[in-house]
Amino acid sequence: MLIPQLVLGQCSPAIQNFSLGNDTVLCSSPYSINAGGNFQTYEWNNGTTNDYLIAYSTGTYSVTVMETNGNLIVNGDFESGVTGFNTDYNTASGGPWGPLSNEGEYMISTSPSLTHNNFLNCGDHTTGTGNMFIVNGSSVPNSNVWCQTVNNITPNTDYAFSCWAMNVLNSTNVSNLQFFINGVQIGSVFNTNTTGCIWQQFTDTWNSGNATTATLCITNQNTSVGGNDFALDDIVFGPICYATDSINITFENYQQTLTGVDPLCAGTATGEIHVDNPGATEYSFDNGLTYQADSFMLNLPAGMYDVCSRSAAGCEYCGNILISDPPPVGVTVSNDTTICENGTATINAVGSNGTSFIYHWDFTTDQGPQQVVTPGVASNYKVAAENQNGCISDTQEYQLSYYPPLDGIISPDTLICPDDIATLMAGANGGIGGPYDFTWSSGTTDTQNNFSSENVSPPATTSYDVTISDACESTPITFSTTVNVSPLPQPGFTALEIEQCEPAIFELTSTSDPTLTQNIEWWISNNEYHPSGNSITTDTYMEGVYDVTMSITTPIGCVIEQTFTDTLVVHPLPFADFDYGPKPIYMFSPTVDFTNHSTDAVSYEWTFFGGDPGTSQNTELTVDYPEGQEGEYQVQLVAISSFGCRDTLVKPVKIEPEILIYAPNSFTPDDDEFNPTWRVFMEGIDVYSFELVIYNRWGEVVFKSQDINEAWDGTYNGQTVKDGTYMWKLNVRELNTDKRLEYHGSINVLR
């Protein structure tokens, strides 16, 4: 119902025609009642002041709306700039952050960011691009931000005073704005949003009473210098028009209940859906695509169904319901089995999701859960279970496999040396697998996973069997192998001479069977080693007896070794030695006695080259050499032992010349050619040992020489000595014996 409170001609068509619409019945809540967005105030019967109301329940809802009938404010949108108002604030004077850097100043601009570096970039309320009134809040209390006087006020009339305001910063310190008319506070303090650039409208009403003029002011009660910055736009003052209307809202409140019946067997179309809704007149089981009069649907397969029921008012009530298959009948069968040859298998089947079962086998009409089979070959068996409702499971398959027959290997025939050990190896596979039993013909039974070994050392060639069996019904198998024992050669050798005199070298030759011999190693008393050779020549050996060891390797690697003890004999040599005398032997008495110093000898053979006799077999003897002849003669002595071993010694025998000296007893150094000098003449001496000294009677040395060929001329210190007798001393050594000899004599110096 429209109830305007001014003459209809004074109010806008929106007020005159204001309506919330017809009463209505709705299917569900909530429902939004819209009162239109072009009025200044809204007041609903529940106290809310929005331009809409959300209805949640059946009831009557009413609202009173108000608008201003015209605007008596001049330049309320500030598009004409700084005109039509007065203020306690100063115009912007500039500063470090822009024109509006200082508190208590204002500026008309299209954006706060153009007036201060810290202000936000916001559009005006009117068009988004026009002017607004921008304020840097004053620290002076009760400062008028904006004032204007309006004349021709109608007494006893309600007026609305409103403006749009916003914060130009993102700041919690917001302005505290207040409306005043004719110095009287109108309404309560209002604040801008703490988030910048959000325009908000603030409105209060005033009754003019007897007044015919109205001085309108907007003041800021916040005196803080931090934050407290704001903008104003679209200031409106004018008489008020009211309108009130109501609407009845009715909500249907029926409930739909769905009941389902699941199919009897999985995968069959035996399900049902039943709908219970007391307000419904028709029903849909395909989410409202088609409707039917029956409230149920039969013969449905499992699935999710969208079910709706519709009332006479056309309200739909929809929901979904799940029709589920019962658990399918299942059957489990024994695990696939592998059996040995000659074995049997038992197959067990167990049904599930039922209270009783029969079993359908593909190889028998017996419907029992257990079957025993002995097919003899690998086979597959199938079974399905049927429960008490006649529901049949999927078919399950049982696979019966056979282990392979036993198989194996044994070592091949082998060749060994006498007394060697042969390791026989047998391997098994197949059947049920290890462990296997290995039964050897040698009497040993061994249980191993795959391989068994048997050590044998037959004295002669022998055949061996092994029988292999497993822990199943597999047929045992037997394998055979032969161990051949190789013959050995007989060590032996020959030598040209088994006994020799030292130093002895032996030549040895094997007499072993060459067809059984690949290599021979030789040791002579562990001192001499020959790694190979059918014949060898030994090192040189001195007196003693020596062992010979032969190690013969056959072509298959057999080794036979034998030592021949004290086989090689080396006799010692006699030691030939002799001496002779006298020493030295001088050429005028050349008879020499020879003394035999030989040892380990029983006979001798002398040879005297240039002597008499020339040969002899005596032990000792005397030999004559040519008289008056000096020289060197070779003497050979051969000493012969009882074993016929011989040692030979050759020595030289030297016949020395006699020592001859001639020293004149006087000479005449008188400047004639006869006997002008004096010297000593000698033979048989070492001339390098010659030393001659001549003394006067007072023992003073007047001449000294070490040269046998130097003569004294009878002078001393360049002067001829006096006539008289002078003494001489001569020191020499024998040429062959190096024996020191000294001679003395006197000289007569004559004029």
Side-chain angles (χ1 to χ4, degrees):
M1 178 180 291
L2 181 64
I3 309 177
Q5 294 181 298
L6 290 178
V7 178
L8 292 178
Q10 296 176 330
C11 296
S12 69
I15 284 288
Q16 296 179 40
N17 300 320
F18 175 69
S19 173
L20 291 177
N22 297 326
D23 296 342
T24 185
V25 176
L26 299 172
C27 294
S28 62
S29 64
Y31 175 72
S32 177
I33 308 172
N34 191 350
N38 296 319
F39 304 106
Q40 287 181 279
T41 64
Y42 302 83
E43 186 172 356
W44 294 86
N45 59 341
N46 66 351
T48 60
T49 58
N50 295 321
D51 60 354
Y52 64 92
L53 177 71
I54 302 299
Y56 291 94
S57 61
T58 298
T60 299
Y61 299 89
S62 64
V63 64
T64 299
V65 297
M66 181 270 287
E67 72 173 5
T68 302
N69 185 18
N71 187 7
L72 302 178
I73 299 299
V74 176
N75 194 28
D77 59 3
F78 303 103
E79 294 305 315
S80 298
V82 184
T83 183
F85 63 88
N86 56 73
T87 177
D88 292 340
Y89 281 65
N90 298 319
T91 57
S93 61
W97 295 287
L100 202 55
S101 296
N102 302 311
E103 290 83 6
E105 295 183 352
Y106 77 94
M107 183 175 178
I108 305 299
S109 178
T110 58
S111 173
S113 64
L114 299 176
T115 67
H116 193 292
N117 292 345
N118 292 334
F119 290 175
L120 300 175
N121 182 19
C122 314
D124 78 325
H125 173 262
T126 311
T127 63
T129 59
N131 288 336
M132 67 187 84
F133 186 94
I134 305 170
V135 178
N136 190 331
S138 173
S139 61
V140 179
N142 299 315
S143 296
N144 290 322
V145 179
W146 175 93
C147 293
Q148 189 177 112
T149 299
V150 178
N151 297 314
N152 300 319
I153 295 299
T154 302
N156 299 314
T157 302
D158 289 334
Y159 288 84
F161 185 9
S162 69
C163 74
W164 291 84
M166 74 171 179
N167 196 346
V168 297
L169 294 170
N170 291 319
S171 174
T172 57
N173 188 17
V174 297
S175 57
N176 298 326
L177 301 177
Q178 180 77 59
F179 289 139
F180 283 84
I181 299 179
N182 292 335
V184 178
Q185 177 179 326
I186 304 300
S188 59
V189 173
F190 56 89
N191 309 106
T192 59
N193 197 299
T194 57
T195 301
C197 296
I198 297 178
W199 286 105
Q200 294 174 282
Q201 187 181 32
F202 302 96
T203 303
D204 277 302
T205 61
W206 173 71
N207 186 272
S208 61
N210 295 324
T212 58
T213 63
T215 299
L216 312 175
C217 288
I218 302 174
T219 65
N220 183 13
Q221 306 295 352
N222 189 349
T223 60
S224 174
V225 298
N228 191 24
D229 303 310
F230 58 94
L232 300 175
D233 201 5
D234 293 333
I235 301 173
V236 175
F237 179 77
I240 299 173
C241 289
Y242 292 99
T244 299
D245 193 21
S246 64
I247 186 172
N248 292 317
I249 301 296
T250 301
F251 293 106
E252 281 192 359
N253 192 25
Y254 297 120
Q255 297 295 325
Q256 174 179 272
T257 302
L258 303 178
T259 303
V261 177
D262 292 333
L264 184 64
C265 294
T268 63
T270 56
E272 301 177 8
I273 299 175
H274 297 267
V275 184
D276 181 16
N277 185 346
T281 59
E282 54 184 353
Y283 307 88
S284 172
F285 296 89
D286 55 7
N287 200 27
L289 294 179
T290 60
Y291 277 87
Q292 64 182 37
D294 292 332
S295 62
F296 57 86
M297 179 67 74
L298 306 178
N299 300 320
L300 295 175
M304 181 68 73
Y305 291 88
D306 295 315
V307 181
C308 297
S309 56
R310 189 159 59 191
S311 68
C315 295
E316 285 187 332
Y317 300 86
C318 294
N320 54 55
I321 185 171
L322 178 64
I323 301 298
S324 300
D325 273 334
V329 175
V331 64
T332 57
V333 69
S334 303
N335 292 333
D336 292 345
T337 303
T338 302
I339 63 176
C340 298
E341 60 178 347
N342 312 316
T344 61
T346 298
I347 311 172
N348 290 295
V350 179
S352 59
N353 298 322
T355 58
S356 62
F357 302 91
I358 61 174
Y359 299 91
H360 303 283
W361 300 90
D362 68 342
F363 63 94
T364 180
T365 58
D366 185 356
Q367 294 182 330
Q370 186 179 83
Q371 305 294 332
V372 177
V373 295
T374 309
V377 295
S379 302
N380 292 335
Y381 302 94
K382 296 179 181 179
V383 63
E386 180 180 347
N387 70 4
Q388 72 282 354
N389 294 325
C391 301
I392 299 177
S393 70
D394 291 337
T395 298
Q396 293 296 317
E397 185 174 288
Y398 171 85
Q399 189 172 55
L400 178 63
S401 302
Y402 274 86
Y403 289 110
L406 285 175
D407 195 7
I409 56 173
I410 194 170
S411 303
D413 292 350
T414 186
L415 181 63
I416 66 170
C417 303
D419 301 323
D420 277 1
I421 294 175
T423 299
L424 306 180
M425 296 292 297
N429 59 72
I432 199 172
Y436 298 95
D437 289 332
F438 296 83
T439 302
W440 294 90
S441 59
S442 57
T444 300
T445 297
D446 189 20
T447 300
Q448 298 291 338
N449 282 334
N450 292 103
F451 293 96
S452 173
S453 63
E454 176 77 352
N455 293 328
V456 296
S457 181
T461 298
T462 305
S463 293
Y464 295 91
D465 298 334
V466 64
T467 299
I468 302 171
S469 59
D470 63 4
C472 197
E473 301 94 343
S474 302
T475 302
I477 54 174
T478 299
F479 296 95
S480 297
T481 188
T482 299
V483 177
N484 297 288
V485 180
S486 175
L488 292 176
Q490 180 60 47
F493 66 91
T494 61
L496 294 178
E497 294 180 88
I498 293 297
E499 294 188 31
Q500 296 186 38
C501 298
E502 65 177 3
I505 297 175
F506 298 93
E507 293 186 1
L508 309 181
T509 300
S510 171
T511 60
S512 300
D513 186 349
T515 62
L516 298 178
T517 301
Q518 178 172 304
N519 186 57
I520 304 175
E521 295 176 87
W522 302 79
W523 287 267
I524 310 299
S525 291
N526 296 323
N527 294 322
E528 180 182 350
Y529 171 67
H530 293 264
S532 62
N534 191 63
S535 297
I536 63 168
T537 300
T538 70
D539 294 339
T540 300
Y541 286 89
M542 306 305 288
E543 175 191 4
V545 290
Y546 300 92
D547 301 338
V548 176
T549 299
M550 297 178 68
S551 179
I552 302 175
T553 302
T554 70
I556 69 164
C558 299
V559 176
I560 182 171
E561 184 175 296
Q562 184 172 342
T563 298
F564 301 90
T565 305
D566 298 340
T567 301
L568 304 181
V569 179
V570 180
H571 296 294
L573 292 177
F575 180 72
D577 191 20
F578 67 88
D579 201 359
Y580 61 89
K583 294 180 180 178
I585 306 169
Y586 294 105
M587 60 185 180
F588 294 112
S589 53
T591 298
V592 181
D593 295 322
F594 289 90
T595 303
N596 193 336
H597 296 297
S598 299
T599 59
D600 299 326
V602 295
S603 62
Y604 307 93
E605 294 178 357
W606 292 88
T607 302
F608 303 100
F609 297 96
D612 184 21
T615 62
S616 175
Q617 293 184 344
N618 294 338
T619 301
E620 297 179 347
L621 69 160
T622 299
V623 177
D624 292 326
Y625 287 92
E627 185 176 0
Q629 295 183 12
E630 66 172 303
E632 185 175 273
Y633 300 92
Q634 299 296 322
V635 176
Q636 174 180 290
L637 172 61
V638 178
I640 304 170
S641 72
S642 60
F643 302 107
C645 298
R646 304 164 69 90
D647 185 32
T648 300
L649 175 64
V650 177
K651 282 186 180 181
V653 174
K654 190 171 184 180
I655 307 299
E656 303 288 348
E658 299 281 357
I659 296 178
L660 301 178
I661 182 170
Y662 169 65
N665 59 5
S666 63
F667 77 108
T668 58
D670 54 1
D671 296 328
D672 61 17
E673 59 183 22
F674 300 106
N675 297 322
T677 60
W678 181 89
R679 57 166 290 197
V680 177
F681 298 92
M682 295 188 77
E683 287 187 8
I685 66 166
D686 180 2
V687 297
Y688 296 104
S689 67
F690 179 86
E691 184 178 47
L692 174 66
V693 181
I694 301 175
Y695 305 90
N696 62 19
R697 62 181 177 173
W698 294 284
E700 182 180 10
V701 176
V702 297
F703 179 76
K704 186 176 183 179
S705 177
Q706 291 180 329
D707 183 357
I708 194 173
N709 295 314
E710 184 180 4
W712 182 38
D713 61 359
T715 62
Y716 174 58
N717 290 333
Q719 301 293 325
T720 302
V721 299
K722 295 180 179 182
D723 291 348
T725 301
Y726 292 83
M727 304 303 295
W728 57 269
K729 182 176 72 173
L730 175 62
N731 287 311
V732 294
R733 291 182 184 275
E734 285 188 352
L735 180 63
N736 293 310
T737 65
D738 206 30
K739 180 180 178 182
R740 180 174 292 278
L741 301 174
E742 187 175 299
Y743 297 91
H744 300 269
S746 62
I747 313 168
N748 291 315
V749 178
L750 303 175
R751 294 271 193 268

